[in-house]
Amino acid sequence: MDKWDKRNRPTRLEKRFEFETYQETRDFLDGLGELSESKKIFPDISFGKTYVNITLRPESEEKDAQITDLENKFATRIDGLLD
Amino acid sequence: MDKWDKRNRPTRLEKRFEFETYQETRDFLDGLGELSESKKIFPDISFGKTYVNITLRPESEEKDAQITDLENKFATRIDGLLD
């Protein structure tokens, strides 16, 4: 599975997921919504008919906040939605 | 209710919806998903915990495609999800 892209200014993890159909896109978004709710982590998400882009920012809103285990584990759980 | 912003290059309609809670955001997204599926119109959507941004482009992918009744009616239906 592709890795998440780590980007800076501001620090964040990003990944694009592509799907064959709108139904698959929605199923993924539903799973992601349940995961967000259970973990209380709410990434920024963009999507269209067959793609979803996710941006995960550090939970801390301090200026120099870094990506921690919290975000990395959440990213891994998102990947797990596709298993 | 606020109007949709009509923007150019490329021609599109945009609107931002804000919510009090993640649950309201998800309910709106669910309604929007059902609407998209029934009308076979799939806007680009960005969302976070308490906001949803929607971008509606002309169905025609021609270079000078304009917003038509099709997009305007769909925008009105999206507004209707909040009634």
Side-chain angles (χ1 to χ4, degrees), chain A residues 15-57:
Chain A
K15 192 164 175 177
R16 181 182 177 93
F17 295 85
E18 303 205 353
F19 301 93
E20 296 288 319
T21 64
Y22 183 60
Q23 189 56 55
E24 284 176 59
T25 304
R26 277 194 74 187
D27 289 346
F28 178 74
L29 286 168
D30 284 346
L32 186 53
E34 284 164 29
L35 195 57
S36 283
E37 204 146 36
S38 74
K39 298 293 168 188
K40 307 295 174 205
I41 295 176
F42 304 93
D44 285 311
I45 296 164
S46 309
F47 70 97
K49 188 176 178 186
T50 56
Y51 75 90
V52 177
N53 280 320
I54 304 177
T55 303
L56 260 174
R57 295 193 169 77

Side-chain angles (χ1 to χ4, degrees), chain A residues 1-2 5 10 14 16-18 20 31 34 36 47 50 55-56 61-62 64 68 73 79 81:
Chain A
M1 170 145 334
D2 291 340
D5 291 319
E14 291 184 349
R16 181 182 177 93
F17 295 85
E18 303 205 353
E20 296 288 319
E34 284 164 29
S36 283
F47 70 97
T50 56
T55 303
L56 260 174
E61 291 183 3
E62 283 176 34
D64 296 322
T68 67
K73 279 184 186 166
D79 289 339
L81 293 172

Side-chain angles (χ1 to χ4, degrees), chain B residues 23-34:
Chain B
Q23 189 56 56
E24 284 175 58
T25 304
R26 278 193 74 186
D27 289 346
F28 178 74
L29 286 168
D30 284 346
L32 186 53
E34 283 163 31

